[in-house]
Amino acid sequence: MFTGLMRTIILYILIIAGIRLMGKRQVGELEPSELVLSLIIADLASVPMQDYGIPLLTGVVPILTLLSLTMILSVIAMKNVRFRALMCGRPSMVIRDGALDQREMSKNRLTLDELLEELRIQGYTDPSAVKYAILETNGQLSVLPYANQKPPTARELKVPVEEGGLPRVVVSDGRLLEHNLKALGHDRPWLDRQLTQRGCKDISGVFLMLVDETDAVYFAKKEA
């Protein structure tokens, strides 16, 4: 029992470390090569986890080899455009000037229902309002509407807007994040005054408190 537990923990830590070394891009987006890698690693790791008669290195060595190969290919893809296109493919424009490109849709096996669903997710119900729609290599659809379909910005309306800065979490579910409080240039007495103003005795009653660089505060009490 203990042996199986330790083998599982070792393989789990190894896979997590390997995926972390691959970078956040691979974690957030699955290119075809990363998808294949994840499927193979899952299969390789499951065998030594279940069969105690198989040496642990039988699973570890192939996993390390695959992770090393993937990182090498990623570096090559960063340096070589043609190799990157071969490994990851190229984006496909499925809508151009409001017109559907049926050939590109057929090439990527993208159905009308799937395309319309992706457009609705991004807030567009009419394909003719879309200047370009590009199916990216990771399967996501990038939608670029016509200029007259975009909401006006404050700059276009010539309205002065004050920058709020990046909000930081100061209190999360009753826990104080002191490094964020210090990064904002505040101390505990300042925090206590903010809590008092909002009718809260201490941080244990705070569910979420955000503060940005202009000291704008978002405050949410814990529900009883």
Side-chain angles (χ1 to χ4, degrees):
M1 184 68 179
F2 178 75
T3 302
L5 177 63
M6 292 305 300
R7 289 163 70 99
T8 301
I9 292 174
I10 291 172
L11 288 168
Y12 177 77
I13 293 175
L14 174 63
I15 294 172
I16 293 298
I19 293 176
R20 289 289 295 159
L21 287 173
M22 288 166 58
K24 291 185 177 180
R25 185 188 68 81
Q26 283 84 353
V27 174
E29 304 170 2
L30 279 180
E31 299 286 357
S33 58
E34 280 91 40
L35 177 60
V36 171
L37 174 68
S38 63
L39 293 174
I40 295 177
I41 287 180
D43 188 55
L44 288 172
S46 64
V47 175
M49 281 184 188
Q50 297 174 358
D51 191 346
Y52 301 160
I54 297 177
L56 186 59
L57 286 177
T58 303
V60 171
V61 172
I63 290 174
L64 289 176
T65 302
L66 286 172
L67 291 173
S68 300
L69 179 61
T70 300
M71 286 187 281
I72 292 172
L73 293 178
S74 297
V75 172
I76 297 174
M78 289 177 61
K79 304 293 184 181
N80 191 299
V81 176
R82 291 183 178 178
F83 184 77
R84 181 164 64 247
L86 178 64
M87 289 292 294
C88 303
R90 297 180 184 275
S92 298
M93 192 173 297
V94 294
I95 298 181
R96 186 192 303 269
D97 297 326
L100 303 178
D101 191 327
Q102 299 180 35
R103 179 175 297 179
E104 286 296 317
M105 290 178 62
S106 177
K107 177 181 175 182
N108 290 278
R109 292 177 293 281
L110 179 67
T111 67
L112 275 173
D113 290 339
E114 291 171 338
L115 176 60
L116 294 175
E117 178 183 353
E118 288 293 331
L119 291 177
R120 289 195 298 270
I121 289 173
Q122 301 198 37
Y124 299 96
T125 57
D126 185 1
S128 64
V130 177
K131 177 72 172 176
Y132 301 113
I134 303 169
L135 185 63
E136 305 293 356
T137 57
N138 62 357
Q140 295 182 351
L141 189 71
S142 299
V143 179
L144 307 175
Y146 282 97
N148 60 8
Q149 297 291 330
K150 296 179 181 179
T153 64
R155 180 179 179 182
E156 292 170 340
L157 296 175
K158 298 181 179 179
V159 176
V161 179
E162 183 180 354
E163 292 290 345
L166 178 67
R168 293 176 181 264
V169 179
V170 175
V171 181
S172 174
D173 198 9
R175 299 189 305 274
L176 173 63
L177 279 66
E178 293 189 12
H179 61 283
N180 282 344
L181 185 64
K182 292 179 180 178
L184 291 164
H186 297 304
D187 52 17
R188 188 60 185 265
W190 179 89
L191 176 61
D192 292 337
R193 289 195 298 271
Q194 297 297 320
L195 297 180
T196 301
Q197 291 174 10
R198 290 162 175 79
C200 192
K201 295 181 179 180
D202 53 50
I203 60 174
S204 62
V206 180
F207 184 67
L208 176 63
M209 182 175 179
L210 298 172
V211 183
D212 67 16
E213 296 168 3
T214 62
D215 288 349
V217 177
Y218 172 83
F219 184 86
K221 278 187 176 182
K222 278 189 178 181
E223 294 182 355

